[in-house]
Amino acid sequence: MDRMEELGFRSETDRQIFREAAAPVELSPFGLHSGMFVPTLERQGTPEQSRKWVPLGKSFKMIGTYAQTELGHGTFIRGLETTATFDPETQEFILDSPTLSSIKYWPGNVAKTVNHCLVMAQLYTQGKCHGTHLFLVQVRNMEDHTIMPGLEIGDIGPKLGFDGVDNGFMRFNKYRIPRMNMLMRYAKVLENGDYIKPKNAKLTYGAMVMIRVFIVMDAFKTLSRAAVIAVRYSAVRRQSELRPGGEEAQVMDYQTQQYKLFPLLATSYAFLLAAEGMSQIYAKISSDIERGNLEDMPQLHALACGLKAFCTWVACEGIEVCRMSCGGHGYSHASGIPKIYANIVGACTYEGENTVMMLQTARYLSKCYIRGQRGESLPELIQYLTTDLNVKSTLGEDCSFESLVAAYSHRAARMVAVACKLQQTNKKKGMAGHDAWNKSTVPFIAATKAHCHLFIVRNFVTILSQKKIDPATHNVLSQLCTLYAVYGIVENMGEFMQDGYFNQDQVSILNRKVLALLEDIRPNAVALVDAFDYPDHLLQSCLGRYDGQVYEALYEYSKSSPLNNTDIHSSYYNYIRPMMQKRSESKNISAKL
Ligand SMILES: CCCCCCCCCCCCCCCCC/C=C/C(=O)SCCNC(=O)CCNC(=O)[C@H](O)C(C)(C)COP(=O)(O)OP(=O)(O)OC[C@H]1O[C@@H](n2cnc3c(N)ncnc32)[C@H](O)[C@@H]1OP(=O)(O)O
Ligand SMILES: Cc1cc2nc3c(=O)[nH]c(=O)nc-3n(C[C@H](O)[C@H](O)[C@H](O)COP(=O)(O)OP(=O)(O)OC[C@H]3O[C@@H](n4cnc5c(N)ncnc54)[C@H](O)[C@@H]3O)c2cc1C
């Protein structure tokens, strides 16, 4: 922290980049403090509360996290069981974990690091429950870091990844906090216990929306790092004869290797631009919300949920492809890829389990579809829902951006319509609304993925058509954008072809185009990953080193393995030799084999 002050890093984004450089591939134990705890104090506290607590958070006098999930509930926030009951006599809230399943479980850095938490709890006052609200809770003594009386806190144990984060459990036993520790920007409890409700109960969920937006950028960061490693390694690795009798080929010259990696390279660029676009939309709508204009809150929620789920699912699948494309060395921690995967795959679960998030977006699409059918106006990003589904593709050999965006719009509009019609049919069959919904959620998930895919393709195309980029760079980026879109069609052809939108000739054009683009991109592949400019220190990879000295690095890495500290390991003396001796004694086996 002091070093960041010395270097004059003021913006949180710069500080985040510094933290990543200082502790590459490990997640900082202060990520949640800076990424959730402090921003939530700023956005959900009253001006007075923010003025009091935010400086303490930013100076790390107060170190916090976001404690919402419980043993029994993570997804269903309204089902959380931790209670915060107002006591007007003492002007305090009494926090309690009334059941085993109500124990807070998973909150990052709660086990050993933080001294405060933002706790999501069911608010009770005057004998009535007003739903979940956020409370600032001191959990450790500020002098000696001991756990405050009335709390049980511990670590939840080893996880798939996230080793830098001490995810913990926390149990409240009638734990008292001051009334003014409830974040009261939107909802309030007055001294007499009266509850003042917020303009919208979901304003309390704002911290999660913000992090979901950040996670879209994380999906880019992690996928692009894996792509850098895999593409650089594919340029260095020579294996097998491409031409009989010739020298062993760079594995990057195999068409299959290109088909594995170049679409992921294109996806990395697409996700970077999508993350930037999502952040701009978030900045605009969240500032409207802060000014009390909640009109676009549903659109922001839906977009953040959908992109967070879509991008993390695709990134995690892509990182695995990158790992496997590096053969055996990809499976070693020396490659750097397993750690990337282990740390990001949790994002398919945290900040909203992906399926649940997709269904939130689907719910929004369902409502928009109905509005569109009534001829009501729709937000710009959703207007494609009124696309004329009788129109067929005009795609030609050039696979123009316009024809590609039209294809993605048609596919998404068609699939949303299919899901909505199933929902409506279910209702007409006499199903209750919730059953009609549940029995159409599989097609809604598919439709929502198509919706997100359209957003990313359209965003990529829009930026290429709007930004001033030198012709040579524009040409390469256009190749990547076309590859991203054409590859997405080829890999999901059934969804594009179900209503005959493409004819057979157009399908052949697309299959030829994707292979031609691999050849177009091959000469620039290494330059395109170098352009991300990740230093070796950040990649922590023997395979993805900028200098390409892979085998030297692997050899040094292996020699540094702790198992090599001694020639003979203690297990020989403790287990192997006694076993061998026992065998030879019992079966007169000659010691000289
Ligand atoms: C300032 C710069 C800082 C930079 C610093 C660097 C930061 C870098 C960070 C990047 C990476 C971060 C790493 C993170 C590490 C891991 C940390 C993990 C933390 C957590 O996991 S915290 C816990 C997260 N938990 C969840 O997300 C729970 C998910 N569940 C829910 O959100 C809700 O339960 C629900 C949405 C699924 C359902 O809610 P509910 O039942 O109440 O609502 P309904 O489905 O019935 O819908 C009712 C209507 O409410 C709308 N709605 C719901 N949610 C929202 C929302 N959030 N906003 C707006 N509107 C919302 C629905 O759309 C419904 O509306 P309708 O009109 O009635 O349809
Ligand atoms: C690495 C990591 C870090 C975390 N950090 C934090 C933290 O700092 N703070 C915090 O509070 N929490 C944290 N969490 C907890 C996280 O937020 C929850 O695990 C997450 O919200 C998912 O909730 P759940 O565990 O209840 O999953 P569940 O919802 O129980 O998921 C189980 C299955 O049920 C399905 N399902 C659930 N509801 C529905 C539905 N309505 N429709 C269809 N299917 C449904 C899901 O799709 C899933 O397949 C973290 C979790 C992880 C993995």
Side-chain angles (χ1 to χ4, degrees):
M1 310 315 140
D2 299 341
R3 187 72 181 122
M4 285 192 275
E5 295 301 327
E6 287 164 21
L7 295 169
F9 288 148
R10 294 285 176 272
S11 97
E12 193 45 53
T13 306
D14 290 346
R15 291 163 78 97
Q16 173 71 6
I17 291 167
F18 177 85
R19 278 191 213 103
E20 280 187 30
V25 306
E26 278 311 340
L27 289 147
S28 161
F30 302 109
L32 271 157
H33 170 80
S34 304
M36 268 190 115
F37 181 74
V38 174
T40 304
L41 290 174
E42 286 176 308
R43 295 161 190 259
Q44 306 256 348
T46 62
E48 296 74 23
Q49 289 176 324
S50 295
R51 275 196 295 275
K52 177 181 172 187
W53 294 327
V54 170
L56 293 174
K58 288 192 169 177
S59 61
F60 285 87
K61 290 189 179 67
M62 188 189 277
I63 301 175
T65 189
Y66 185 89
Q68 175 173 292
T69 303
E70 297 169 357
L71 258 176
H73 291 92
T75 286
F76 190 50
I77 298 175
R78 286 187 287 139
L80 292 172
E81 297 173 85
T82 302
T83 57
T85 307
F86 181 62
D87 178 352
E89 296 298 315
T90 62
Q91 292 293 294
E92 293 172 318
F93 282 101
I94 304 164
L95 269 72
D96 197 42
S97 305
T99 60
L100 177 66
S101 54
S102 69
I103 293 173
K104 289 299 178 187
Y105 196 91
W106 272 108
N109 309 126
V110 103
K112 302 295 174 188
T113 305
V114 303
N115 48 45
H116 284 76
C117 286
L118 283 172
V119 175
M120 189 73 94
Q122 300 286 356
L123 187 159
Y124 285 82
T125 179
Q126 297 171 345
K128 187 165 181 272
C129 180
H130 295 278
T132 53
H133 292 71
L134 282 170
F135 300 83
L136 177 65
V137 182
Q138 180 180 342
V139 297
R140 285 182 180 270
N141 182 299
M142 299 300 283
E143 300 304 320
D144 60 12
H145 208 57
T146 51
I147 296 170
M148 297 297 280
L151 293 180
E152 182 192 356
I153 292 177
D155 182 73
I156 66 169
K159 311 173 290 275
L160 187 155
F162 245 57
D163 300 334
V165 177
D166 48 312
N167 296 88
F169 66 84
M170 178 164 59
R171 187 171 202 166
F172 300 97
N173 181 16
K174 306 288 185 221
Y175 188 75
R176 289 178 173 266
I177 62 171
R179 175 178 72 91
M180 286 313 294
N181 274 38
M182 171 185 164
L183 299 196
M184 293 204 200
R185 178 167 190 164
Y186 298 114
K188 297 180 186 346
V189 169
L190 306 181
E191 287 182 359
N192 66 358
D194 287 353
Y195 174 73
I196 311 298
K197 68 179 190 177
K199 274 176 82 172
N200 182 315
K202 304 310 170 189
L203 285 164
T204 311
Y205 293 6
M208 293 176 276
V209 178
M210 176 186 68
I211 292 292
R212 288 165 193 156
V213 171
F214 290 147
I215 290 171
V216 177
M217 184 60 81
D218 271 5
F220 152 71
K221 285 180 188 173
T222 49
L223 177 59
S224 56
R225 287 172 194 176
V228 170
I229 294 167
V231 167
R232 283 179 176 168
Y233 180 64
S234 299
V236 172
R237 181 70 169 179
R238 289 182 175 276
Q239 198 70 200
S240 313
E241 291 178 349
L242 205 158
R243 292 171 191 79
E247 65 170 346
E248 289 196 72
Q250 288 172 286
V251 294
M252 189 139 73
D253 287 333
Y254 293 110
Q255 188 182 64
T256 51
Q257 190 82 352
Q258 294 172 6
Y259 193 74
K260 290 175 192 173
L261 295 182
F262 293 176
L264 293 176
L265 180 55
T267 302
S268 298
Y269 277 83
F271 280 12
L272 170 59
L273 298 176
E276 289 176 347
M278 176 76 251
S279 301
Q280 287 159 12
I281 293 168
Y282 174 76
K284 192 251 179 229
I285 297 177
S286 59
S287 63
D288 290 346
I289 292 169
E290 302 228 338
R291 287 196 300 274
N293 172 7
L294 307 187
E295 184 186 358
D296 289 334
M297 192 167 149
Q299 182 182 196
L300 175 63
H301 169 56
L303 189 58
C305 285
L307 285 188
K308 179 264 182 190
F310 183 87
C311 292
T312 51
W313 264 332
V314 170
C316 292
E317 289 164 14
I319 292 164
E320 260 296 83
V321 170
C322 288
R323 178 187 66 77
M324 289 186 272
S325 74
C326 295
H329 299 330
Y331 191 75
S332 163
H333 274 298
S335 74
I337 297 177
K339 197 83 168 176
I340 293 173
Y341 180 83
N343 280 342
I344 191 62
V345 72
C348 296
T349 305
Y350 61 62
E351 287 305 349
E353 198 280 329
N354 278 2
T355 302
V356 173
M357 293 295 98
M358 278 272 170
L359 290 174
Q360 284 292 304
T361 308
R363 176 178 175 143
Y364 175 74
L365 292 174
S366 169
K367 288 172 181 274
C368 288
Y369 177 79
I370 294 166
R371 284 167 47 193
Q373 293 297 298
R374 293 181 189 138
E376 295 174 23
S377 66
L378 293 174
E380 186 191 352
L381 290 174
I382 313 290
Q383 284 169 5
Y384 73 87
L385 288 181
T386 56
T387 298
D388 177 0
L389 295 178
N390 297 312
V391 170
K392 301 302 177 196
S393 172
T394 60
L395 180 127
E397 285 290 347
D398 64 342
C399 294
S400 72
F401 284 164
E402 183 188 1
S403 64
L404 294 172
V405 171
Y408 278 83
S409 300
H410 180 93
R411 169 220 195 181
R414 184 185 63 75
M415 294 177 75
V416 171
V418 164
C420 290
K421 286 172 181 167
L422 176 60
Q423 184 187 13
Q424 289 161 4
T425 303
N426 289 343
K427 284 181 184 171
K428 286 174 186 157
K429 286 178 181 174
M431 281 189 207
H434 54 270
D435 286 331
W437 167 253
N438 186 39
K439 302 286 186 191
S440 58
T441 45
V442 168
F444 264 117
I445 291 282
T448 306
K449 288 177 180 176
H451 167 77
C452 296
H453 210 168
L454 165 62
F455 175 91
I456 293 168
V457 168
R458 186 175 51 202
N459 182 65
F460 204 161
V461 168
T462 302
I463 284 170
L464 285 179
S465 58
Q466 286 177 350
K467 281 208 171 184
K468 291 214 176 308
I469 305 171
D470 69 273
T473 305
H474 191 277
N475 179 50
V476 174
L477 291 176
S478 297
Q479 288 173 346
L480 285 177
C481 179
T482 306
L483 176 60
Y484 178 72
V486 171
Y487 176 83
I489 295 173
V490 167
E491 289 291 303
N492 298 284
M493 189 58 80
E495 294 180 353
F496 287 88
M497 280 297 290
Q498 188 164 340
D499 61 347
Y501 180 70
F502 288 125
N503 60 43
Q504 285 190 351
D505 291 341
Q506 288 169 324
V507 173
S508 302
I509 287 171
L510 289 158
N511 286 328
R512 286 197 303 272
K513 186 70 174 178
V514 75
L515 301 182
L517 283 164
L518 301 180
E519 293 188 37
D520 294 342
I521 286 166
R522 170 67 181 87
N524 293 313
V526 173
L528 283 165
V529 297
D530 288 352
F532 291 125
D533 199 19
Y534 290 132
D536 286 350
H537 173 72
L538 199 63
L539 293 175
Q540 297 279 306
S541 171
C542 297
L543 309 189
R545 297 167 57 96
Y546 185 77
D547 64 8
Q549 300 298 305
V550 168
Y551 296 146
E552 293 81 353
L554 278 172
Y555 184 45
E556 288 309 310
Y557 175 91
S558 304
K559 286 197 288 184
S560 69
S561 169
L563 265 181
N564 299 325
N565 290 344
T566 59
D567 176 25
I568 299 174
H569 191 263
S570 58
S571 56
Y572 171 76
Y573 301 107
N574 298 336
Y575 306 106
I576 297 172
R577 185 169 65 174
M579 177 189 72
M580 292 173 72
Q581 284 170 343
K582 196 174 173 185
R583 291 268 182 295
S584 59
E585 283 155 14
S586 63
K587 295 179 182 168
N588 298 322
I589 293 171
S590 155
K592 294 188 181 55
L593 290 175

